């Protein structure tokens, strides 16, 4: 069976040998408990204050017209947006789209292969 009296005697001997350290440890522990209690009381009182004094929501009342902020000046003839069509008209296709020739396609393929080799490196 466990003899508690031996543990109590050993603890007393330890305190007698190191009295200064024991007093400092007890004081620090007591100070820590006091700080924790103060924080708990402070948080509880703050929560109660918030519950008692609910903050009213303020509604925005416009007594003047809204001002548009200054921004960059859009040049005349510049279109900021337009309705896009599902299919290009034939005249826009002729104006903007060109078919690449086989040499350009080969150059593009080699450039893509070079990029792939840089990414993969020596991976198997």
């Amino acid at each position: 069976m466990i003899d508690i009296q031996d543990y109590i005697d050993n603890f007393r001997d330890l305190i007698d040998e190191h009295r200064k350290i024991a007093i400092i440890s007890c004081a620090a522990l007591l100070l820590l408990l006091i700080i924790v209690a103060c924080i708990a009381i402070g948080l509880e009182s703050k929560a109660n204050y918030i519950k008692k004094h609910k903050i009213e929501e303020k509604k925005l009342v416009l007594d003047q017209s809204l001002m548009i902020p200054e921004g960059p000046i859009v040049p005349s003839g510049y279109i900021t947006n337009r309705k896009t069509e599902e299919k290009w008209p034939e005249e826009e296709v002729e104006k903007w789209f060109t078919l690449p020739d086989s040499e350009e396609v080969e150059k593009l393929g080699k450039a893509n292969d070079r990029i792939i080799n840089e990414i993969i490196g020596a991976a198997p």
Side-chain angles (χ1 to χ4, degrees):
M1 189 120 166
I2 299 174
D3 189 16
I4 297 176
Q5 193 61 36
D6 285 341
Y7 289 114
I8 294 173
D9 290 339
N10 288 340
F11 186 70
R12 284 184 184 163
D13 292 340
L14 182 68
I15 290 176
D16 286 339
E17 290 175 12
H18 306 286
R19 186 170 297 274
K20 197 181 245 186
I21 294 174
I23 291 172
I24 291 171
S25 301
C26 289
L29 184 61
L30 185 63
L31 181 65
L32 183 65
L33 287 174
I34 291 172
I35 290 171
V36 169
C38 289
I39 290 173
I41 291 170
L43 290 176
E44 183 179 335
S45 65
K46 184 177 181 181
N48 288 338
Y49 178 80
I50 291 172
K51 287 179 184 175
K52 288 180 184 177
H53 306 301
K54 288 189 178 180
I55 299 172
E56 295 179 18
E57 292 184 17
K58 295 182 180 180
K59 293 186 179 182
L60 179 64
V61 178
L62 294 176
D63 56 351
Q64 297 177 354
S65 62
L66 294 174
M67 295 178 58
I68 299 173
E70 292 183 18
I73 299 172
V74 179
S76 62
Y78 185 81
I79 301 172
T80 56
N81 61 2
R82 67 183 178 106
K83 181 180 176 185
T84 56
E85 299 174 9
E86 290 184 24
K87 189 174 180 183
W88 284 14
E90 192 63 37
E91 57 194 36
E92 281 192 15
V93 171
E94 291 174 10
K95 181 178 180 183
W96 299 109
F97 187 71
T98 57
L99 287 173
D101 59 356
S102 60
E103 185 179 323
E104 290 174 349
V105 172
E106 282 184 37
K107 285 181 183 178
L108 180 64
K110 288 179 183 178
N112 287 339
D113 290 340
R114 204 174 318 115
I115 292 172
I116 291 170
N117 288 335
E118 287 178 14
I119 293 172
I120 294 176

